[in-house]
């Protein structure tokens, strides 16, 4: 018999998209589903759509909140309910405005059933971009584009110190994650998924199914479009934590306050003094390569300092070395003031 999968959907004022999104969940080829909808005090027709579907499908449960409390509280209300009910060997989450492929759950849970070391698994995304609706993200992402991700845990984990590698609305996790008490961090507003999946990555192995199984809708009312500045600020704090956690796991003394050139170089010097296994050495070298490529506004002579340092030439591959050097030169050039902006006496 198929293991029960609980699907959590948090919805707020998405009547324009919700019926299509909910139909995609109801019509999954994986039939043993428990579908929990948390309506976060919607003032449009969202709740009515949920109730109409519920009348036709007994697998649907609805938690209707009397007032809007925000996405993070709604997510935690849903996770608390799933933990309390004990339903679902697997917990899936998708957004109320996206469209899951019919075999989204079947393909991912099928892989997780074969490999018990995977604690959570997602899939690639296909961009569903609305035009002329004021959405910033849609200006930069082509409709129909495929957003792929690394498929193996080590490669996914290597991204966390620099950005969120998780397609939140495709992920399916084992219920042990929520039974252990993990919830979305209310202090990480607008980047709660980044923090949550970074915490999950410490509990077991992550993976991706190498196929676009969810269509990700870009529109003006979504969180990532309306709160992109705040989202970026919170994400930077998570990245700093992930970088220092990585260094600590590798036994390094140096810590990052920011991606500053001299701090990155200090870690590079420490690496040269360590006797690490080959795989760990390569992981740290790749980590440092990414750090140098993202160096915060480097001092004027950083590129000259790097070019003249024989230890850096020995540490990195030729491709990495020249890529870092080009980036330092480019960053310094971009940081130079425009002469046209100077006041004349």
């Amino acid at each position: 018999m198929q293991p029960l999968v609980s699907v959590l959907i948090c919805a707020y004022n998405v009547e324009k998209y919700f019926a299509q999104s909910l139909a995609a969940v109801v019509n999954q080829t994986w039939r043993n589903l428990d579908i929990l909808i948390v309506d976060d005090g919607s003032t449009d027709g969202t709740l009515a759509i949920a109730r109409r579907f519920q009348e036709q499908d007994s697998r649907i449960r609805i938690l209707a909140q009397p007032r809007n409390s925000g996405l993070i509280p709604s997510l935690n209300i849903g996770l608390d309910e799933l933990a309390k009910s004990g339903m679902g060997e697997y917990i899936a989450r998708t957004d109320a405005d996206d469209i899951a492929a019919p075999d989204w759950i079947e393909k991912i849970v099928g892989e997780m059933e074969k490999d018990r070391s995977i604690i959570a698994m997602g899939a690639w995304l296909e961009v569903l971009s609305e035009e002329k609706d004021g959405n910033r993200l849609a200006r930069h992402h082509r409709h129909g584009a495929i957003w792929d991700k690394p498929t193996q845990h080590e490669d996914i984990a290597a991204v966390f110190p620099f950005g969120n590698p998780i397609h939140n609305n495709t992920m399916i996790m084992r219920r042990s994650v929520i039974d252990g008490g993990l919830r979305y961090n209310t202090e990480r507003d607008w980047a709660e998924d980044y923090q949550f999946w970074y915490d999950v990555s410490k509990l077991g192995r992550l993976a991706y199914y190498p196929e676009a199984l969810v269509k990700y809708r870009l529109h003006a009312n979504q969180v990532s479009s309306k709160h992109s500045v705040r989202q970026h600020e919170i994400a930077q704090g998570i990245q700093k934590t992930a970088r220092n956690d990585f260094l600590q796991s590798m036994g390094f003394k140096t810590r990052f306050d920011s991606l500053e050139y001299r701090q990155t170089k200090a870690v590079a010097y420490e690496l040269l003094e360590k006797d690490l296994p080959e795989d760990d050495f390569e992981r740290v070298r790749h980590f440092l390569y990414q750090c140098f490529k993202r160096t915060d506004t480097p001092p004027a002579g950083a590129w000259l300092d790097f070019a003249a340092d024989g230890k850096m030439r020995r540490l990195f591959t030729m491709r990495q070395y020249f890529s870092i050097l080009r980036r330092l030169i480019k960053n310094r050039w971009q940081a130079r003031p425009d002469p046209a902006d100077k006041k004349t006496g």
Side-chain angles (χ1 to χ4, degrees):
M1 183 177 176
Q2 292 180 332
L4 179 64
V5 177
S6 290
V7 184
L8 173 60
I9 308 172
C10 294
Y12 174 66
N13 286 356
V14 285
E15 64 176 353
K16 182 178 179 180
Y17 314 109
F18 192 35
Q20 187 180 21
S21 296
L22 187 51
V25 173
V26 166
N27 293 321
Q28 287 290 301
T29 55
W30 191 277
R31 303 305 299 166
N32 194 20
L33 299 179
D34 160 49
I35 303 169
L36 177 63
I37 300 170
V38 179
D39 180 80
D40 191 23
S42 293
T43 56
D44 64 358
T46 299
L47 182 56
I49 292 170
R51 286 174 172 159
R52 187 168 69 244
F53 271 80
Q54 186 183 41
E55 290 173 358
Q56 301 171 11
D57 196 323
S58 61
R59 299 175 300 173
I60 295 176
R61 295 185 288 148
I62 300 172
L63 291 178
Q65 303 304 302
R67 62 186 63 84
N68 178 250
S69 60
L71 178 60
I72 302 176
S74 294
L75 287 168
N76 287 336
I77 287 169
L79 293 179
D80 287 344
E81 171 61 24
L82 292 174
K84 181 176 66 176
S85 69
M87 298 182 70
E89 184 176 336
Y90 293 92
I91 311 296
R93 179 184 159 204
T94 195
D95 290 338
D97 49 5
D98 296 333
I99 306 172
D103 51 1
W104 162 51
I105 293 175
E106 181 179 0
K107 285 183 173 178
I108 292 179
V109 173
E111 292 298 313
M112 295 180 72
E113 283 287 282
K114 290 186 288 187
D115 187 346
R116 304 300 296 184
S117 73
I118 298 175
I119 197 165
M121 187 174 188
W124 296 351
L125 288 174
E126 178 182 342
V127 174
L128 185 60
S129 182
E130 293 192 353
E131 297 181 359
K132 300 178 181 178
D133 72 343
N135 175 25
R136 295 184 190 177
L137 297 177
R139 301 173 198 165
H140 305 290
H141 301 291
R142 176 177 55 84
H143 177 77
I146 303 300
W147 288 359
D148 61 1
K149 292 289 184 180
T151 59
Q152 301 300 313
H153 176 78
E154 289 77 13
D155 298 324
I156 298 169
V159 179
F160 276 112
F162 309 103
N164 184 8
I166 301 301
H167 291 323
N168 190 60
N169 50 342
T170 73
M171 297 299 292
I172 300 177
M173 60 186 170
R174 300 188 190 277
R175 74 165 298 109
S176 59
V177 172
I178 64 169
D179 285 344
L182 185 59
R183 298 293 185 270
Y184 287 90
N185 189 330
T186 57
E187 296 180 358
R188 296 299 196 183
D189 51 336
W190 319 126
E192 73 289 334
D193 54 336
Y194 189 178
Q195 181 68 63
F196 181 84
W197 293 111
Y198 178 58
D199 292 338
V200 172
S201 73
K202 301 174 185 178
L203 302 177
R205 298 180 64 80
L206 303 176
Y208 268 106
Y209 195 90
E211 182 182 338
L213 297 179
V214 174
K215 292 184 178 180
Y216 176 49
R217 192 187 302 273
L218 299 178
H219 59 85
N221 292 325
Q222 65 196 149
V223 166
S224 52
S225 182
K226 295 171 69 176
H227 303 284
S228 57
V229 175
R230 174 63 175 165
Q231 199 173 41
H232 177 70
E233 292 174 349
I234 295 294
Q236 284 185 316
I238 301 170
Q239 289 166 19
K240 176 183 174 181
T241 298
R243 287 193 293 268
N244 286 327
D245 285 350
F246 173 77
L247 290 176
Q248 185 176 18
S249 71
M250 290 292 173
F252 280 73
K253 297 177 181 178
T254 310
R255 296 291 181 269
F256 279 114
D257 295 319
S258 63
L259 283 177
E260 193 269 330
Y261 173 75
R262 298 196 184 283
Q263 288 185 349
T264 305
K265 196 172 180 183
V267 178
Y269 271 45
E270 192 173 345
L271 174 59
L272 289 168
E273 297 172 356
K274 282 187 172 294
D275 183 20
L276 293 177
E278 184 177 352
D279 287 349
D280 286 348
F281 179 87
E282 286 300 325
R283 288 177 64 197
V284 179
R285 181 164 70 170
H286 180 73
F287 169 81
L288 285 169
Y289 169 69
Q290 296 295 332
C291 289
F292 272 121
K293 291 272 287 184
R294 292 167 170 80
T295 299
D296 297 336
T297 308
W303 71 274
L304 283 172
D305 176 80
F306 188 84
D309 194 326
K311 290 184 177 181
M312 296 300 99
R313 287 199 297 272
R314 290 194 299 273
L315 176 59
F316 294 103
T317 67
M318 290 296 289
R319 184 191 65 81
Q320 290 173 334
Y321 175 80
F322 284 109
S323 180
I324 293 169
L325 189 56
R326 285 193 298 269
R327 174 56 63 180
L328 291 174
I329 293 172
K330 183 178 180 180
N331 284 358
R332 186 56 195 164
W333 181 261
Q334 291 175 338
R336 292 176 63 184
D338 188 339
D341 293 335
K342 292 183 178 179
K343 294 182 180 180
T344 57

